[in-house]
């Protein structure tokens, strides 16, 4: 009874809930009723209140639950709040890398790219780590974060700046070469790097002659009927009206959190003006620099559409009777390529990679693996052997994980918080505590069906 009252209070604080279940909820479903209350309580927790929360669960290949809480756009002095619903699209941060990889693997299927080929031949200039000039850089190394590229010199530039002027020693913007690591040659050492996907997107443009955002529409989003994309300036009015603004209660200049202060928009705040076209886009040459479209983190998409992506994976690459990717391609993509070796010191560095304090333990090509084992389990108590991707940027935290063997999956996005989730460490994993609570509740109630 007390939990029910807390849930009602949570809903009042968040402005209500929305759902679009795959099938009407039957009478007497205590597990899902409890899940409603638990997620509402998590979203309204004073320790880390969420601006909005959107989730979905798939059990044995079938969508069994989804819920949206809170506001995709918070109220201002001049406009009322707009609640999140199942069409709300979020900038999903690094889950975009996995989606970009789907497009890349389509080009591999078409014979336009080879995973172990020297990428210099695609880019039109020699791309080598100057510390290891004898070792070619391959797509496999880029996709597994073993390329030896680093984000220290940045990973996004204006569209009038060609990547070769940044990445090639002696070029105009190369500077001190901070983008290249000296610790190991390409293919040997894992370090998570956003720059890998800027290069991947540029390669995709180079071999097709198409701008990255439009190429992804043609390859992936269009054939699957998915709304959104990598360039809001080309969104329809319906898509723009579905975008969630991302928020933090953190100042942008001094980066100080103040849970009692105002919500501060971070990205996708188009309340005053529509999204601007990327600078210099009119003179952009595809294959020079795809980073303005953020292949690494810039996809806007809904949880509902990401659910369709998950169903495609569970259906051996088919979507509504159409083969999006071959089963063999998906098996290749999700086969484990790297496993962390060595416990490493407190900073998480091991003999073959940097786990970032335990967050990264295993990797496929463009996807993270979450082995169902102590320290790496995605849910409390285990029982979910996950692959997929995490995302975090501008206040948003996102999770896409699927257990292919059991045909279960979970998706969860939240669009901002009153305090820093990174300060609330997980109890059984390297995730934040809010993420742990959300995923464990989804697994326990929607997938296992436990109503205790």
């Amino acid at each position: 009874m007390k939990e029910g009252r807390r849930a009602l209070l949570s809903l009042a604080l968040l402005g209500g809930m929305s759902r679009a279940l795959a099938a009407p909820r039957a009478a007497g479903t205590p597990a899902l009723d409890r899940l409603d209350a638990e997620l509402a309580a998590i979203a309204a927790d004073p320790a880390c209140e969420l601006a909005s929360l959107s989730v979905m669960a798939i059990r044995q290949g079938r969508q069994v639950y989804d819920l949206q809480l809170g506001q995709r756009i918070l109220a201002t002095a001049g406009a009322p709040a707009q609640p999140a619903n199942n069409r709300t699209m979020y900038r999903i941060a690094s889950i975009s890398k996995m989606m970009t990889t789907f497009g890349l693997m389509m080009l591999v299927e078409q014979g336009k790219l080879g995973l172990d080929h020297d990428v210099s031949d695609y880019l039109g200039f020699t791309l080598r780590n100057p510390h290891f000039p004898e070792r070619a850089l391959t797509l496999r190394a880029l996709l597994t974060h073993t390329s030896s590229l680093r984000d220290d010199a940045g990973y996004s530039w204006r569209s009038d700046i060609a990547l070769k002027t940044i990445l090639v020693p002696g070029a105009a913007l190369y500077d001190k070469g901070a983008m290249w690591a000296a610790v190991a040659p390409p293919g040997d050492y894992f370090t998570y790097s956003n720059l890998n996907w800027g290069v991947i997107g540029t390669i995709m443009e180079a071999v097709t002659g198409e701008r990255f955002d439009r190429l992804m529409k043609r390859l992936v989003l269009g054939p699957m009927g998915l709304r959104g994309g990598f360039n809001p300036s080309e969104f329809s009015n319906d898509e723009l009206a579905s975008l969630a603004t991302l928020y933090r209660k953190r100042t942008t200049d001094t980066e100080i959190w103040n849970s009692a202060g105002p919500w501060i928009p971070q990205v996708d705040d188009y309340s005053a003006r529509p999204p601007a076209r990327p600078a210099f886009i009119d003179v952009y040459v595809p294959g020079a620099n795809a980073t303005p479209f953020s292949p690494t983190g810039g996809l806007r998409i809904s949880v509902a559409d990401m659910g369709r992506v998950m169903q495609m994976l569970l259906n051996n690459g088919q979507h509504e009777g159409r083969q999006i990717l071959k089963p063999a391609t998906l098996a290749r993509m999700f086969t484990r390529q790297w496993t962390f070796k060595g416990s490493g010191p407190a900073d998480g560095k091991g003999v073959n990679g940097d786990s970032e304090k335990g967050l990264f333990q295993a990797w496929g090509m463009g996807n993270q693996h979450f082995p169902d084992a102590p320290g790496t389990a995605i849910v409390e108590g285990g029982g979910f052997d996950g692959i997929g991707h995490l995302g975090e940027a501008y206040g948003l935290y996102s999770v896409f994980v699927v257990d292919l063997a059991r045909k279960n999956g979970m998706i969860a996005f939240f669009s901002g918080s009153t305090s820093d989730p990174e300060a609330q460490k997980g109890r059984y994993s390297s995730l934040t505590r809010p993420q742990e609570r959300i995923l464990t509740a989804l697994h326990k109630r929607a997938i296992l069906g436990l109503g205790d």
Side-chain angles (χ1 to χ4, degrees):
M1 187 66 178
K2 290 181 179 178
E3 183 173 4
R5 284 198 294 269
R6 286 198 300 271
L8 290 174
L9 175 60
S10 299
L11 293 176
L13 291 170
L14 289 163
M17 65 165 61
S18 170
R19 72 156 46 83
L21 289 171
R25 180 177 296 179
T29 51
L32 299 187
D33 293 339
R34 288 286 296 272
L35 182 53
D36 288 348
E38 288 174 357
L39 291 174
I42 293 167
D45 188 339
C48 190
E49 185 179 347
L50 309 181
S52 75
L53 173 65
S54 186
V55 301
M56 176 182 288
I58 290 174
R59 181 176 66 219
Q60 298 177 357
R62 176 177 169 269
Q63 180 187 327
V64 294
Y65 184 83
D66 82 300
L67 183 70
Q68 299 82 41
L69 296 165
Q71 316 296 338
R72 68 174 185 87
I73 298 177
L74 298 171
T76 64
Q82 299 185 36
N85 58 45
N86 71 322
R87 291 175 59 81
T88 297
M89 300 191 304
Y90 297 81
R91 187 187 189 279
I92 61 171
S94 286
I95 298 178
S96 305
K97 294 180 175 70
M98 184 183 70
M99 295 294 287
T100 294
T101 305
F102 291 140
L104 174 79
M105 296 304 285
M106 291 178 182
L107 299 178
V108 171
E109 285 187 349
Q110 296 168 15
K112 294 181 179 179
L113 293 171
L115 293 173
D116 298 304
H117 193 80
D118 185 344
V119 300
S120 301
D121 293 338
Y122 304 131
L123 289 167
F125 62 89
T126 300
L127 185 64
R128 287 284 194 282
N129 184 329
H131 305 291
F132 308 98
E134 74 288 349
R135 182 75 66 91
L137 196 66
T138 67
L139 280 169
R140 189 183 300 274
L142 291 166
L143 290 164
T144 57
H145 293 286
T146 61
S147 68
S148 75
L149 283 169
R150 300 290 184 266
D151 291 340
D152 298 37
Y155 56 88
S156 183
W157 296 271
R158 297 191 320 252
S159 57
D160 63 326
I161 298 175
L163 282 187
K164 66 180 179 181
T165 68
I166 297 166
L167 300 179
V168 176
L173 300 176
Y174 183 76
D175 197 26
K176 298 179 180 179
M179 71 291 294
W180 293 112
V183 64
D188 288 4
Y189 193 89
F190 177 99
T191 299
Y192 190 92
S193 172
N194 292 291
L195 181 53
N196 289 320
W197 261 259
V199 175
I200 286 170
T202 303
I203 290 169
M204 293 170 66
E205 289 189 339
V207 299
T208 62
E210 296 178 66
R211 215 173 69 190
F212 176 78
D213 58 322
R214 293 175 176 174
L215 176 62
M216 285 297 294
K217 281 273 193 181
R218 179 176 69 82
L219 291 175
V220 180
L221 304 180
M224 291 192 66
L226 309 179
R227 299 162 63 245
F230 288 84
N231 181 4
S233 72
E234 293 197 351
F235 282 6
S236 67
N237 290 335
D238 174 70
E239 289 170 325
L240 287 176
S242 300
L243 272 179
T245 300
L246 304 185
Y247 299 91
R248 292 186 180 110
K249 286 200 172 186
R250 190 193 80 176
T251 56
T252 54
D253 48 357
T254 56
E255 298 190 358
I256 296 173
W257 288 87
N258 178 10
S259 60
W263 289 99
I264 301 173
Q266 307 290 309
V267 296
D268 289 349
D269 177 14
Y270 303 124
S271 56
R273 60 185 62 86
R277 301 177 71 222
F280 303 99
I281 196 65
D282 292 330
V283 296
Y284 178 65
V285 178
N289 169 23
T291 66
F293 306 108
S294 190
T296 190
L299 178 61
R300 279 77 166 176
I301 196 169
S302 68
V303 163
D305 276 348
M306 286 305 299
R308 294 180 178 91
V309 172
M310 188 174 286
Q311 294 278 13
M312 179 269 291
L313 299 179
L314 293 172
N315 200 31
N316 294 315
Q318 283 196 5
H319 173 71
E320 296 182 351
R322 180 173 185 172
Q323 197 72 43
I324 303 299
L325 284 160
K326 297 176 182 178
T329 299
L330 292 176
R332 195 178 188 187
M333 176 177 167
F334 288 108
T335 295
R336 190 166 301 174
Q337 303 287 315
W338 174 83
T339 302
F340 181 66
K341 295 179 181 178
S343 57
D347 61 6
K349 292 182 172 62
V351 297
N352 70 336
D354 182 354
S355 72
E356 293 198 13
K357 299 183 179 180
L359 181 61
F360 303 126
Q361 295 287 331
W363 212 264
M365 288 193 287
N367 54 89
Q368 185 174 353
H369 292 197
F370 304 89
D372 189 19
T376 59
I378 200 75
V379 296
E380 190 166 9
F384 191 99
D385 195 17
I387 58 174
H389 219 291
L390 305 175
E392 183 271 312
Y394 304 110
L396 174 127
Y397 281 73
S398 56
V399 180
F400 177 104
V401 285
V402 59
D403 185 333
L404 293 175
R406 297 182 177 96
K407 293 188 177 295
N408 298 327
M410 298 179 290
I411 306 168
F413 303 163
F414 64 82
S415 62
S417 56
T418 54
S419 59
D420 185 0
E422 297 296 327
Q424 301 190 45
K425 299 300 182 183
R427 295 181 183 175
Y428 61 86
S429 73
S430 294
L431 300 176
T432 68
R433 184 57 185 157
Q435 288 174 303
E436 284 187 343
R437 293 175 67 194
I438 291 166
L439 293 174
T440 295
L442 283 170
H443 183 250
K444 182 177 181 180
R445 307 298 182 195
I447 292 176
L448 298 183
L450 301 178
D452 57 304

